[in-house]
Amino acid sequence: MAKPIVALVGRPNVGKSTLFNRLTGERLAIVDDVPGTTRDRLYAETDWNGKPFYVVDTGGLDPTAGSSRSVLSVGSADFIEDIRAQVEVAIHDANVICFLVDVIAGVTPADVEVATLLRTSQRKVDGKRYPPILLVANKGDNLASMADAYQFYELGLGDPYPISALQGRGTGDLLDAIVEAFPEDLDETEDDSIKIAIVGKPNVGKSSLLNKLVGKQRAIVSPIAGTTRDAVDTPLEYDGVPITLIDTAGIRRRGKIEQGVEKYSVLRSMQAIERADVALLLIDASTGITAQDQHIAGFILDEWKSVVVLVNKWDLVEKDSFTINEYTEKIRQELNFMSYVPLLFISAETGQRVNKVIPKALEVQEERLRRISTGKLNRIIRHAMDEHAPRGGSGRPLNIYYCNQVRVDPPTFLLHVNDPKLGHFGYMRYLENCIRKEFPYEGTPIKLVLKES
């Protein structure tokens, strides 16, 4: 299930970045008294009552731009139109909008204009206005100022939620309302297709591969990095198996993400990975594996998704009889935390080995759903302990009494032990390798969970 997106919107200096830091629990956004400090969108993942979601901080909407009134965003006067474009993108893609106002300043003409913009940006879904807008009356740092929230009823957006983002007062009630407003259609249980996301850094050939797999010009292909902005779903059927191919925007490292819609495109790509079963990680053979390739691979692993590594543009590499082995060894070294991934050397441009991509992804998906009987699993674990007994930390050795597989997708194994704190990372990796010797789980991460028994 894709995580919902909550956008924090409002005129400058109403406390959006302070609330962003409060909701995410980290000081990620720059907070300053100068209006217009936040120019770009900033996003982070958080959760409430076990429900994860993204929070997006946006720059202050300055409705006075182009009018005779003074500019509100004095700290970003040169970027007002860019900020507005980004905020409009955030409004369009958000699942819930938190519209922040300032109880100390009261209702301002700028608040009225922002409220009008938000209402006109909503669309009707099944007779309801979407996305829902929560009116957040911030800076209620004392009871008297919180009581002043009633004045915002004139904006016509329903009951205001009085809070103090600085002190944390009222944010629990706000979070309850946010979670309750999440749309139910984010749940993808009705779609039983196998979802395959095509991911990678910009300009590695993701859209070209999609077009080759589908057999028609489905996505825009351009040598300009960043042409694809959205995560685009393409349904198809392979040997009777329903598949959804997800083409995504290129994921740059955070410091290289430029202003404009690109930052939000990266967020969409991350959401695509979350709802995928298998990720196709494209690497540019002409440049070799990079730190950003490793970063994207790490994100796929963090989401416990299966993966196939595709070394694209193989036609551009000068080759001899040793080239493919040298490339394979180099990639294995750079992705040593994913030793189980299969590699395919392809050319989306010429079609070389592209016919092997979908079959390999389906094989990896089958591995993801593999279940090992309890008897076989305990035999593997006992043999592993006989071959290499765990060392004791603080004089106590780890004892594993029993093991069983508790789920697939991803494969998860529960080990009943005397003390989970004694399970050293290195020994857990050893046990994982022992399981993979008999059941490779190609392209698929597996979880080992320790439980005191």
Side-chain angles (χ1 to χ4, degrees), residues 52-316:
F53 58 95
Y54 286 109
V55 181
V56 180
D57 185 22
T58 65
L61 270 171
D62 198 330
T64 65
S67 72
S68 59
R69 285 178 284 170
S70 61
V71 173
L72 297 177
S73 304
V74 295
S76 297
D78 296 333
F79 304 97
I80 290 173
E81 293 306 320
D82 291 336
I83 292 171
R84 187 182 183 91
Q86 286 203 49
V87 173
E88 288 175 351
V89 172
I91 291 171
H92 179 270
D93 284 354
N95 301 110
V96 177
I97 295 174
C98 288
F99 172 31
L100 271 72
V101 291
D102 182 342
V103 295
I104 298 175
V107 181
T108 68
D111 292 325
V112 175
E113 291 187 44
V114 174
T116 302
L117 172 65
L118 291 176
R119 276 196 298 269
T120 56
S121 68
Q122 284 183 309
R123 52 201 182 275
K124 280 194 174 182
V125 179
D126 297 330
K128 296 181 179 179
R129 304 294 294 178
Y130 183 85
I133 299 172
L134 302 181
L135 179 59
V136 183
N138 190 30
K139 302 188 181 180
D141 299 335
N142 53 60
L143 293 177
S145 57
M146 290 187 78
D148 289 337
Y150 72 89
Q151 61 189 305
F152 294 100
Y153 277 105
E154 72 174 77
L155 295 176
L157 294 173
D159 295 334
Y161 290 86
I163 71 163
S164 169
L166 186 63
Q167 299 175 0
R169 181 182 289 128
T171 53
D173 292 338
L174 175 61
L175 282 164
D176 286 339
I178 289 172
V179 170
E180 187 177 348
F182 288 157
E184 297 179 358
D185 60 2
L186 284 175
D187 192 344
E188 311 220 3
T189 53
E190 295 182 1
D191 183 1
D192 60 354
S193 65
I194 297 173
K195 295 167 189 64
I196 302 175
I198 305 173
V199 300
K201 62 186 181 183
N203 207 28
V204 291
K206 297 182 294 297
S207 296
S208 296
L209 175 61
L210 174 67
N211 291 334
K212 214 70 173 180
L213 292 173
V214 177
K216 58 183 177 181
Q217 191 75 10
R218 176 63 180 82
I220 299 172
V221 178
S222 169
I224 301 173
T227 302
T228 301
R229 295 296 188 184
D230 296 296
V232 182
D233 288 7
T234 303
L236 71 145
E237 193 170 285
Y238 184 89
D239 285 348
V241 178
I243 294 172
T244 300
L245 289 177
I246 309 171
D247 185 25
T248 65
I251 303 176
R252 301 178 192 256
R253 63 187 177 90
R254 184 162 295 192
K256 292 293 185 181
I257 298 174
E258 299 174 355
Q259 288 189 351
V261 295
E262 182 181 358
K263 183 181 285 286
Y264 222 65
S265 299
V266 172
L267 181 53
R268 293 190 191 112
S269 297
M270 292 180 174
Q271 285 186 306
I273 293 174
E274 289 168 8
R275 64 189 180 95
D277 299 300
V278 180
L280 303 177
L281 173 57
L282 263 69
I283 293 172
D284 190 336
S286 62
T287 60
I289 197 164
T290 65
Q292 182 59 4
D293 295 320
Q294 293 174 312
H295 173 75
I296 298 170
F299 185 82
I300 296 171
L301 181 59
D302 288 343
E303 295 297 322
W304 297 95
K305 300 300 180 179
S306 299
V307 61
V308 178
V309 173
L310 304 178
V311 185
N312 192 29
K313 304 184 183 181
W314 191 237
D315 56 309
L316 302 181

